[in-house]
Amino acid sequence: MGALSDQYASISETTGSGQLSALLSSALERNTRIGTAAQQINRADAERLNAIFGYLPQINVTFSRDQITQRVIETDNAVFELGEAKYPVTTIQARIDQPILDLSRIFGIQHATNARSISEVEYIRTVRDVVYEVFDAYLVANQAKARSGALRQRMGFLARQINSQDALNDSGIGDVIEVSSLRSERSSIASEEALESARYIEALGDLALLTGASVSEIAPLRFPQGIGQSERRISVDQAVATGLEQNPVVMAAALGVVGAELDRRRALAADFAPVLAAYAMLEREDRANSRFGGGSLTEDTTVGVRLTIPIFNGRGRGYETLPATVGVRAGALDYYARRRQVETQIRATHARLSELSRAMGQSSNAARQSARALGSERDRLATGQSADLAVAAREIRLSVARERNAFYQTEYLRTWARLQYLMGADLSKQGF
């Protein structure tokens, strides 16, 4: 407990802006799920070692000290009439048993070895899960932070429009209804900004839970070059084939089927296969007295071979083969379900990437058109053909267009990360 408390029991303090690489490193070092998965490998190692011990010699030494009181009640043997005694007996026994042929234990060793492989794959799966969750929470935090800033900027533009309308009202040519509408819109945007701030705080909390470090601020993440249009560089069928081969979920399910089959063979051997074992025993007995009036010191050596052939219900617990066979079928069904789930998710994520790519293109074009319109409006303002109220309206449209474009870019990154995760890629090695 003391050895693990420093690394897993507390939240470490961080200073400055949280970089994604630093958060990923902290998660790999301090995440409790990763630590638990590592301990499962240690457990599987211990269980495999115990399975091997089951085929090694069994050596036992037994020491017993008995106090015996004997009295002959009735006998037709004249010698036994003298048989009354009270004496101690000391017995020392050394015994060694060695399995020679035990198929159930052999399959048990193979099953334990496969279980260790499953625990290793599950460890990789846990690492990939945690890295993906850190990556996604980081993107959500960036998204919420950027949208919150854009909404505050939009509130500033609305405040300019409200001030311009108030000035017009003071001169008697304003529109009271328009002012009320603008104030209502600003209040609605303020509520959205508060919601995004709450979403940002929640994402920081998720990052703290995943990394074991207190995260108060994150560094902004720009859209990386080379990721755009990634759905065109790999077809959906190629993505599915890669995912079915490298996704740890599918790998663990496949190993689960192998383990279930090995367990069925172990049960079949335990139910029906003969067991051949050798044994040797050395027993030394020291009797202080006997019914005949004298003690004895004896030493017996026994060496033998034992063959056990189960005929019917040999262990008195029925047959393990029946439920083990059902376990193989259940494992196969789970494997097929995992494959279907991964394939379905990859196809849906790949299609979503295509749609988000199209949305990014349209939103980028909208932002360019809004920027061009804003430039024209400012030129008109400089020549006295427009008013600051119209310029503020154009700035609001540009802010909305840019905010939507940034939102789609982050959604594209989140979807790209999910596709990489489903394909079995390690996001911590993607260069972010």
Side-chain angles (χ1 to χ4, degrees):
M1 295 293 292
L4 297 175
S5 61
D6 292 340
Q7 188 172 2
Y8 296 108
S10 60
I11 301 294
S12 66
E13 295 295 331
T14 59
T15 57
S17 298
Q19 299 286 341
L20 178 58
S21 57
L23 293 174
L24 291 175
S25 298
S26 180
L28 294 176
E29 294 175 1
R30 299 175 57 85
N31 187 273
T32 54
R33 285 159 53 193
I34 295 178
T36 301
Q39 294 304 317
Q40 292 300 325
I41 296 179
N42 296 336
R43 180 190 294 274
D45 273 331
E47 291 177 352
R48 178 177 177 273
L49 184 61
N50 284 337
I52 295 174
F53 279 147
Y55 216 85
L56 296 180
Q58 304 169 30
I59 303 174
N60 294 282
V61 176
T62 304
F63 175 85
S64 62
R65 176 78 174 181
D66 304 317
Q67 184 68 31
I68 299 178
T69 301
Q70 291 183 335
R71 184 166 62 90
V72 177
I73 304 299
E74 182 178 355
T75 181
D76 58 358
N77 190 325
V79 178
F80 280 7
E81 292 180 1
L82 302 176
E84 293 185 6
K86 183 177 182 181
Y87 58 91
V89 177
T90 302
T91 304
I92 300 176
Q93 182 187 86
R95 182 182 179 95
I96 179 172
D97 292 87
Q98 173 61 61
I100 298 176
L101 179 61
D102 190 341
L103 292 177
S104 66
R105 296 191 183 188
I106 293 175
F107 285 123
I109 295 173
Q110 295 178 358
H111 182 269
T113 302
N114 183 78
R116 189 190 187 282
S117 299
I118 293 177
S119 65
E120 291 174 344
V121 173
E122 289 292 346
Y123 174 81
I124 296 174
R125 174 187 175 183
T126 303
V127 171
R128 302 282 171 83
D129 289 348
V130 170
V131 169
Y132 167 70
E133 290 172 14
V134 170
F135 195 93
D136 189 68
Y138 182 81
L139 291 177
V140 169
N142 263 280
Q143 188 180 59
K145 183 178 180 181
R147 191 160 189 266
S148 177
L151 291 173
R152 287 194 298 269
Q153 184 185 45
R154 201 179 308 169
M155 289 166 59
F157 294 147
L158 286 172
R160 281 174 51 191
Q161 287 185 310
I162 292 172
N163 292 335
S164 298
Q165 287 289 349
D166 287 339
L168 293 175
N169 288 336
D170 293 339
S171 62
I173 59 175
D175 189 344
V176 178
I177 298 178
E178 181 66 19
V179 173
S180 299
S181 177
L182 290 172
R183 287 175 177 170
S184 174
E185 185 177 356
R186 186 177 63 176
S187 298
S188 298
I189 293 176
S191 65
E192 291 184 30
E193 192 278 330
L195 182 61
E196 291 301 321
S197 296
R199 187 164 168 247
Y200 177 68
I201 294 173
E202 182 181 8
L204 293 183
D206 292 339
L207 286 173
L209 177 63
L210 291 166
T211 62
S214 177
V215 183
S216 58
E217 189 72 19
I218 60 169
L221 178 66
R222 295 184 178 274
F223 190 83
Q225 297 295 328
I227 289 184
Q229 305 292 330
S230 59
E231 71 280 358
R232 297 184 179 180
R233 292 189 290 272
I234 180 171
S235 67
V236 64
D237 292 332
Q238 291 175 332
V240 169
T242 303
L244 294 181
E245 180 181 353
Q246 299 184 9
N247 191 297
V249 173
V250 179
M251 295 168 61
L255 287 173
V257 177
V258 176
E261 174 60 22
L262 290 172
D263 187 60
R264 187 190 69 84
R265 295 181 182 181
R266 179 203 59 77
L268 186 64
D271 290 338
F272 302 108
V275 177
L276 181 63
Y279 61 90
M281 180 177 63
L282 175 64
E283 185 177 72
R284 183 183 180 91
E285 182 183 71
D286 186 1
R287 288 177 174 264
N289 206 340
S290 71
R291 292 177 296 183
F292 308 104
S296 64
L297 177 61
T298 60
E299 187 175 274
D300 298 332
T301 301
T302 305
V303 178
V305 177
R306 180 177 58 252
L307 177 64
T308 303
I309 303 176
I311 302 299
F312 175 74
N313 195 20
R315 291 174 297 171
R317 298 196 300 269
Y319 294 98
E320 294 185 21
T321 307
L322 301 177
T325 302
V326 177
V328 175
R329 295 172 182 170
L333 288 174
D334 180 68
Y335 170 68
Y336 292 134
R338 298 289 185 180
R339 284 177 60 92
R340 181 182 298 178
Q341 178 185 16
V342 169
E343 179 176 358
T344 303
Q345 290 177 343
I346 288 177
R347 291 186 181 277
T349 305
H350 192 277
R352 190 168 190 266
L353 269 183
S354 300
E355 295 302 322
L356 285 173
S357 182
R358 192 158 59 94
M360 286 169 53
Q362 295 296 329
S363 63
S364 178
N365 182 56
R368 286 195 300 270
Q369 296 298 330
S370 296
R372 185 177 304 171
L374 175 60
S376 299
E377 197 68 43
R378 284 175 175 170
D379 292 340
R380 293 179 62 189
L381 177 64
T383 59
Q385 298 177 356
S386 182
D388 185 65
L389 188 65
V391 173
R394 295 291 184 184
E395 289 175 335
I396 290 176
R397 293 189 182 94
L398 178 59
S399 176
V400 171
R402 287 177 175 173
E403 183 267 320
R404 297 310 299 173
N405 186 45
F407 177 84
Y408 290 139
Q409 286 182 348
T410 306
E411 283 298 304
Y412 186 91
L413 273 179
R414 294 182 65 190
T415 307
W416 172 85
R418 179 161 180 79
L419 181 62
Q420 300 301 311
Y421 162 74
L422 292 171
M423 292 169 56
D426 187 357
L427 288 173
S428 64
K429 298 180 180 179
Q430 298 298 319
F432 288 94

